[in-house]
Amino acid sequence: MLLHLSTWAEIEAYLERSRTVVIPIGSNEQHGPTGLLGTDWLCPEIIAHEAQKEADILVAPTFNIGMAQHHLDFPGTIALRPSTFMAAIGDWARSLAHHGFTRLYFLNGHGGNVATIEAAFSELYAEASFAARPRGFALKLKNWWDLKGVFKLAHQQFPAGHGSHATPSEIAVTQWAYPDAIKAANYAPQIAPTGPIREASDFRARFPDGRMGSDPGLATPEKGAELVRLAVAGLIEEVRAFGAESGVSR
Ligand code: NI
């Protein structure tokens, strides 16, 4: 069930049977010469949207802008500073909590978001603690590649050249979902360099075409299909377990 294609009355009815909501979260940032700018928010969205076709899961609109300052020297990247990102996550979560959602599951598609999402969670828990609210509000963060078996499969599919940015696994997932948007380029070098992540001008100097340690030329829609299938199964299992956790209301 997709929140943005539902009515308030349908959400009210859903709340009678579940208090769990899945929020795809990512970043809109350059992904090398062939990766889509939306890659990091498309991947969790694709997986969550597939999962809700197979199970009674509610998926919120995708939070599609995140921590991407280091990619700003590549056109099309849109970034939030950490304080803005935390404030926005906070109000997103407070809005859902206001309706009675007590289990918010963030499915993340961008490693650079993790520290700030966790900090936003700490703020929300601190609010609950200082206000002495009763037990029962839970936040969970999961990277899609950390769903059961997915990281292992990605490294079996791409034993060399997986890398850490503009990876063939994330690009394969978008290729499966958006075959009309598949791009091609000559990669030089075939596997991109690796190094630290600092500010935008340093990033573009170190990684001139935007890739980090990856060979996106290995991506295929078929490999993307395998990754999506496994991730969907993992997500459904995890959301069920999260919903059934003891001590969390309903
Ligand atoms: Ni990415």
Side-chain angles (χ1 to χ4, degrees), residues 73-222:
D73 274 12
F74 295 89
T77 298
I78 303 172
L80 296 178
R81 67 188 67 207
S83 51
T84 318
F85 193 38
M86 286 172 63
I89 292 167
D91 285 353
W92 201 291
R94 288 180 196 98
S95 300
L96 292 165
H98 184 82
H99 309 312
F101 289 101
T102 55
R103 282 157 283 166
L104 312 187
Y105 184 109
F106 288 79
L107 184 65
N108 179 45
H110 176 47
N113 282 349
V114 170
T116 311
I117 296 173
E118 293 285 7
F121 285 5
S122 293
E123 287 279 354
L124 289 161
Y125 285 137
E127 269 177 32
S129 298
F130 286 128
R133 281 191 210 130
R135 187 180 181 205
F137 180 69
L139 301 151
K140 189 175 173 76
L141 170 64
K142 190 75 166 196
N143 300 316
W144 69 264
W145 56 86
D146 289 329
L147 289 165
K148 195 173 169 186
V150 173
F151 193 74
K152 193 174 161 204
L153 172 62
H155 285 267
Q156 281 166 358
Q157 290 175 328
F158 312 109
H162 187 269
S164 59
H165 184 68
T167 65
S169 60
E170 60 183 347
I171 287 173
V173 168
T174 64
Q175 285 183 343
W176 172 75
Y178 297 95
D180 294 342
I182 295 175
K183 326 278 181 181
N186 291 320
Y187 300 104
Q190 195 65 36
I191 296 179
T194 58
I197 296 174
R198 292 174 185 153
E199 81 281 20
S201 54
D202 183 76
F203 190 99
R204 183 139 186 180
R206 287 178 189 279
F207 314 107
D209 72 0
R211 299 173 295 143
M212 292 181 74
S214 66
D215 176 5
L218 300 167
T220 66
E222 293 73 25

